[in-house]
Amino acid sequence: MIIAEGIYSMDGDTCDLSRLIELKKRHKTLLMIDEAHSIGVLGPQGRGIGHHFPGVDPNDVDVWMGTLSKSFASCGGYIAGSSALVRYLKYTAPGFVYSAGLPPPNAAAALKSLELMQAEPEVVEQLRQRSRFFLDCLRTRGIDTGDAIGAAVVPAIIGNSLECLKLSEALAGRGINVQPIVYPAVEDDAARLRFFISALHSEAQLQQTADAVREELARIRGDGSRPEVSL
Ligand SMILES: Cc1ncc(COP(=O)(O)O)c(C=O)c1O
């Protein structure tokens, strides 16, 4: 089985879905896509990466998986696929056989989010626009954003775990909540802050945040505290 993420949670870039489909057909294997970060973000009405690339048939992906805890503002997850796969999982997956399934309030909250995305696709478009805006804000301030395409997940690659922790704390002091991703989740020289952008972030907030990243990083690096030993 080939398993990939729709939007990669650490880098904010996408997989090349057409090539993965080509690969899975060539090797007669199965393809599973984790849409935790791409459902509600990519494609018209936030339908996900299966609707993002022209010419891709979502039926060519055998297992679609996602969480309800991000764009759907709920808790729990889903697996989608052919009716044979869904029937198989209903009879064998522990969530159905041994323990309680998804509580109705969580299912209702996720369903409402889905309905809102269908009714108000402009909100999804605004999320992408704001994400690209923030990506540009960081880039123009000389911050390394790696391969990010500007779709909800935007990393600021700091390149040192200790500096990254200090920066996250300094930004919290300025009212900005962004969590550090440090070694061993990523290589020490790829330690980063991972920003999650929402459609409700204003351009002014995003600009101020990018300014704060640049200022605090300069302060941390300039005050002689650059660590000699990395984590
Ligand atoms: C790529 C990916 N898949 C799945 C999940 C699972 O989400 P949760 O268990 O929080 O619903 C996450 C959560 O961060 C994720 O980043």
Side-chain angles (χ1 to χ4, degrees), residues 19-182:
R19 285 196 58 210
L20 290 181
I21 290 172
E22 192 190 305
L23 205 62
K24 82 129 207 185
K25 286 184 176 168
R26 186 162 10 117
H27 294 283
K28 296 186 173 52
T29 183
L30 298 172
L31 176 60
M32 170 170 164
I33 301 292
D34 178 342
E35 286 237 87
H37 293 273
S38 48
I39 196 81
V41 176
L42 295 180
Q45 299 171 310
R47 286 161 165 247
I49 195 169
H51 300 268
H52 171 72
F53 296 112
V56 163
D57 180 357
N59 291 317
D60 280 332
V61 173
D62 304 282
V63 186
W64 288 104
M65 179 213 132
T67 174
L68 304 182
S69 69
K70 302 188 193 299
S71 296
F72 293 122
S74 180
C75 190
Y78 65 84
I79 300 277
S82 66
S83 43
L85 172 81
V86 171
R87 199 166 47 246
Y88 170 78
L89 290 176
K90 275 185 177 165
Y91 283 107
T92 55
F96 283 100
V97 178
Y98 297 116
S99 56
L102 193 63
N106 287 340
L111 181 60
K112 194 66 202 172
S113 300
L114 204 54
E115 287 167 2
L116 285 173
M117 284 192 287
Q118 285 174 343
E120 300 172 23
E122 66 278 6
V123 178
V124 181
E125 185 44 52
Q126 181 164 311
L127 165 66
R128 291 197 292 253
Q129 181 270 327
R130 295 287 150 89
S131 306
R132 285 192 300 268
F133 180 82
F134 184 61
L135 184 70
D136 282 347
C137 285
L138 287 181
R139 282 188 180 155
T140 53
R141 285 161 181 77
I143 307 291
D144 181 4
T145 52
D147 294 327
I149 60 165
V153 177
V154 181
I157 302 170
I158 306 305
N160 174 292
S161 293
L162 199 51
E163 282 181 357
C164 204
L165 290 164
K166 286 183 176 182
L167 185 56
S168 167
E169 197 175 74
L171 292 172
R174 292 175 66 159
I176 299 163
N177 177 12
V178 58
Q179 298 306 310
I181 309 280
V182 300

